[in-house]
Amino acid sequence: MTIGDPYSRDGAVRGRAVALPLLTQPVPFEAGDPALERYRRNWLVSGLGEAGQARLAAARVLVVGAGGLGSPVLLYLTAAGVGTIGICDSDVVEVSNLQRQLLHGEADVGVAKPDSAVRHLSALNSSVRFERFGHVTREWLEEHGREWDLIVECTDSFDAKYLVADYCAQSGVPLVWGTVVSMQLQVSVFWSHAPAPVPRLTLRSLHPVQPAPGTTPSSPEVGVLGPVVGQAGTAMATEAIKVLAGFGEPLIGRVLMVDAATQRADVLTFAPWE
């Protein structure tokens, strides 16, 4: 499959790049549009271009979790000019969050995270539209999940991660996923309804069984270093921008694994479990 019209609504593959289908038809920028200057360092990147920037402006991205991973994801997607960003989180900002959740400040303690996030993000880019939501359930996703071009999963619990990933596997909504504990992180991209030759994979292709409580280390027990969360979230934002704009080689069928203690990074391929 080739990409053809850069403003197509359909998913397409060009080389190793993947362009997700968008719910809203991108509109080409007109000459002299101030946005072209604002995002100049974006669209000058090889493969992105003005067409890719127009795709970002048309995109609708749901970010589940506005904490450690969600902070860099939300900041970079907002700065990049993603048109509409949904923010799901039922927590309020706590003092213990501030070590790694750089989207929030001391004045936000006690404030709902979506409200704190929107206040800061709107100051960064007033042209982005934000939608705020609370706790995400399977029922909520069944009703609203297909309203988004892409879901970015940024929670810190296995229950939430598998809930969102299983919904994306069933519905076909593409998913950018990441996890981090202590000094280790993993990032990947899943798209269960991807067009050939893109592999149709899900979180359960990589981690088939949700870990039972207490069987794996957790951040409340072993900690998590703030900058490592930033590494993971920044990588997730990069993957989201790549598949929305349709350039680069996304981590579909591959997982980025980093041990920040030694700064060793590996990208491993995986296939569905038999």
Side-chain angles (χ1 to χ4, degrees), residues 21-217:
L22 298 180
L23 296 168
T24 302
Q25 183 78 0
V27 178
F29 289 101
E30 297 182 358
D33 189 323
L36 286 177
E37 182 58 31
R38 174 167 189 152
Y39 302 118
R40 180 178 177 84
R41 300 295 178 93
N42 272 3
W43 57 260
L44 285 176
V45 172
S46 177
L48 200 157
E50 293 184 26
Q53 190 65 48
R55 286 181 58 87
L56 293 180
R60 291 177 52 84
V61 177
L62 180 67
V63 179
V64 182
L69 291 173
S71 288
V73 167
L74 287 164
L75 284 164
Y76 278 109
L77 294 187
T78 298
V82 170
T84 302
I85 299 175
I87 305 172
C88 296
D89 203 309
S90 58
D91 291 340
V92 299
V93 179
E94 300 178 0
V95 170
S96 62
N97 300 151
L98 303 181
Q99 161 260 4
R100 64 198 179 281
Q101 300 183 16
L102 301 186
L103 183 53
H104 313 289
E106 292 180 353
D108 301 310
V109 172
V111 176
K113 287 184 180 178
D115 293 340
S116 170
V118 170
R119 181 169 67 86
H120 291 285
L121 296 170
S122 296
L124 174 63
N125 193 341
S126 60
S127 68
V128 176
R129 179 186 177 192
F130 298 100
E131 299 181 14
R132 288 170 272 194
F133 308 100
H135 185 63
V136 174
T137 64
R138 179 62 186 237
E139 292 73 24
W140 187 91
L141 288 170
E142 292 289 353
E143 184 175 355
H144 299 289
R146 289 180 175 83
E147 298 170 3
W148 305 93
D149 299 308
L150 175 69
I151 296 178
V152 185
E153 201 288 314
C154 300
T155 69
D156 60 0
S157 78
F158 286 123
D159 286 344
K161 287 185 177 300
Y162 277 84
L163 184 150
V164 173
D166 287 346
Y167 166 77
C168 289
Q170 178 271 324
S171 66
V173 177
L175 173 68
V176 173
W177 170 89
T179 186
V180 57
V181 175
S182 187
M183 298 281 282
Q184 287 78 42
L185 67 91
Q186 296 181 25
V187 173
S188 191
V189 181
F190 308 108
W191 190 8
S192 63
H193 289 32
V198 181
R200 295 188 169 191
L201 300 171
T202 71
L203 174 59
R204 292 186 185 271
S205 305
L206 178 63
H207 298 296
V209 179
Q210 179 177 336
T215 60
T216 60

Side-chain angles (χ1 to χ4, degrees), residues 244-262:
L244 290 169
F247 76 110
E249 182 179 354
L251 289 169
I252 299 178
R254 302 183 300 145
V255 56
L256 170 67
M257 305 182 70
V258 176
D259 179 356
T262 59

